[in-house]
Amino acid sequence: MRLLIQSIRDYAIFMLDPHGRIISWNAGAQRIKGYAAEEIIGTHFSVFYPPHEVAAGKPAMELRAAAADGRWEEEGWRVRKDGTRFWASVVITALYDERGELRGFGKVTRDLTERRSLARALDERGLLLAHLVQAQERERRRIASDVHDDTIQSMVAVGMRLRALGDRLPEEHAAAVRSLDEVVEAAVARLRDLAFRLRPPGDGLLEGLAAYLEREMSGMAYELEHDLPDEPPAEAAITVFRICQEALTNVRKHAGAHTVSVRLASRDGGVHVRVRDDGSGIAGRESRDGHYGLMEMRERAETAGGWWGIRGAPGEGTTVEFWVPAVARSQS
């Protein structure tokens, strides 16, 4: 029986003592969670839970429920050794000896991330999200085009006329006209910046991110790395771009950073992204979600069926990390 359990690779099967410390580990647990047996045995099993669930006391609550009812079962996010999350099916079974004393718990975990992504891709909510993302981006592009082709061109013409008028006026009046021209030029620059932000640059996610980094992160060292075999579906690409855009805006405006990196990887049927900087960290940002756009980033990722997180000690930089599914949705 021990040989059978140790050899299973599709399920993480391990035991906990009555206090929740890990006392056994199988090959499936190492494959799914990323820890070797010698790294994890003796550690409390709460290490596999997202920080907000640990803070809320969820791991302890599950053990209490399993001890009271004999079994606890759920699906939810769990955390691997490298900090990434996966959608897990979890069963915790209380183990009693012949005298009825609690000896510990048996825990079985299965990684359902890919299955969840595929199921979500077929449901009506996923299809509606795809339509909403596409409609929103079409509207953004329309506004950007109107701003560029109409408003900006009109203001450029006004600026040209002001300069022509200033050349013909006496100096005491020409100075006032030049001042107006400077105001117009500043407004044109702001409108061009707005149009750029509304419409993702380039053709596709990677080209768009590269163009955005080049334009917006000037004066800062930056790098963009990926191992994406293909361009993700349009709605996933837009979601990734918009979250990265917000994260990079925060870095530029608030982090005081010298370097920033964006890394994209194909994982669990989706796109996993890390945006890291070497700036001031995130102290105090949690109380100003609206100002920093943290809530918007989280909502974008979770609405798409993924997850989002942020971490960074004061003075040690910040990491924004998220994952969104990247399965093309049927339009039929």
Side-chain angles (χ1 to χ4, degrees):
M1 181 64 72
R2 183 180 297 110
L3 179 62
L4 172 64
I5 292 174
Q6 291 295 332
S7 301
I8 291 173
R9 295 184 55 81
D10 293 329
Y11 293 82
I13 303 174
F14 54 98
M15 289 185 62
L16 310 174
D17 69 12
H19 302 289
R21 291 186 291 266
I22 298 163
I23 57 176
S24 74
W25 198 246
N26 80 328
Q30 179 168 341
R31 185 185 70 83
I32 293 172
K33 296 179 181 290
Y35 293 91
E38 59 269 21
E39 295 178 292
I40 199 65
I41 287 177
T43 302
H44 195 271
F45 83 114
S46 60
V47 71
F48 307 133
Y49 289 73
H52 70 277
E53 292 190 351
V54 176
K58 191 171 187 291
M61 179 277 294
E62 293 181 0
L63 293 188
R64 289 195 299 270
D69 301 329
R71 174 187 175 93
W72 169 267
E73 183 174 0
E74 73 157 4
E75 289 188 8
W77 291 112
R78 293 296 184 269
V79 180
R80 297 186 179 94
K81 177 184 175 181
D82 64 2
T84 60
R85 303 188 194 186
F86 64 100
W87 188 259
S89 168
V90 179
V91 178
I92 301 175
T93 304
L95 304 175
Y96 294 90
D97 63 18
E98 62 276 5
R99 294 174 296 179
E101 294 181 0
L102 180 66
R103 295 290 303 278
F105 301 88
K107 197 166 186 290
V108 180
T109 301
R110 186 180 182 190
D111 184 352
L112 299 181
T113 308
E114 186 171 357
R115 191 179 80 177
R116 179 177 183 266
S117 299
L118 291 171
R120 187 190 173 282
L122 299 176
D123 67 21
E124 293 183 0
R125 181 173 176 272
L127 187 57
L128 176 60
L129 173 65
H131 287 312
L132 288 174
V133 169
Q134 292 166 9
Q136 182 187 57
E137 289 305 312
R138 283 196 298 270
E139 184 66 9
R140 284 173 176 262
R141 289 177 181 274
R142 184 191 66 78
I143 294 171
S145 294
D146 288 347
V147 168
H148 181 271
D149 297 338
D150 184 6
T151 309
I152 290 178
Q153 299 307 318
S154 296
M155 295 189 71
V156 168
V158 169
M160 293 174 63
R161 292 185 180 185
L162 285 171
R163 286 190 292 275
L165 178 61
D167 292 340
R168 297 196 300 268
L169 290 174
E171 180 57 32
E172 63 269 21
H173 301 301
V177 172
R178 284 196 296 270
S179 179
L180 287 174
D181 183 39
E182 291 173 359
V183 172
V184 171
E185 285 188 358
V188 168
R190 288 195 297 271
L191 286 171
R192 283 177 173 152
D193 185 63
L194 172 62
F196 177 83
R197 292 173 183 278
L198 284 171
R199 182 169 49 200
D203 182 15
L205 174 61
L206 296 174
E207 187 174 325
L209 284 174
Y212 190 86
L213 283 163
E214 182 178 1
R215 185 180 194 273
E216 295 296 303
M217 313 309 285
S218 60
M220 184 182 301
Y222 63 83
E223 60 179 354
L224 173 63
E225 297 180 351
H226 78 93
D227 70 354
L228 303 180
D230 301 295
E231 185 76 12
E235 63 269 22
I238 287 297
T239 298
V240 170
F241 179 84
R242 291 302 181 194
I243 296 174
C244 287
Q245 182 182 37
E246 183 64 41
L248 291 169
T249 298
N250 286 346
V251 173
R252 180 170 54 84
K253 290 184 175 180
H254 309 297
H258 300 289
T259 63
V260 63
S261 66
V262 181
R263 291 183 169 85
L264 301 91
S266 179
R267 176 171 288 165
D268 299 326
V271 181
H272 174 254
V273 183
R274 283 195 180 106
V275 180
R276 288 176 171 163
D277 68 70
D278 63 352
S280 59
I282 59 172
R285 291 192 189 185
E286 294 83 354
S287 62
R288 301 194 296 274
D289 280 356
H291 178 63
Y292 281 89
L294 306 187
M295 186 178 298
E296 179 181 350
M297 287 189 280
R298 183 189 301 278
E299 286 179 350
R300 279 187 180 274
E302 293 182 352
T303 299
W307 55 266
W308 177 95
I310 186 170
R311 62 183 185 273
E316 297 182 5
T318 301
T319 298
V320 168
E321 184 174 13
F322 64 94
W323 175 90
V324 295
V327 181
R329 296 181 174 90
S330 172
Q331 301 296 312
S332 60

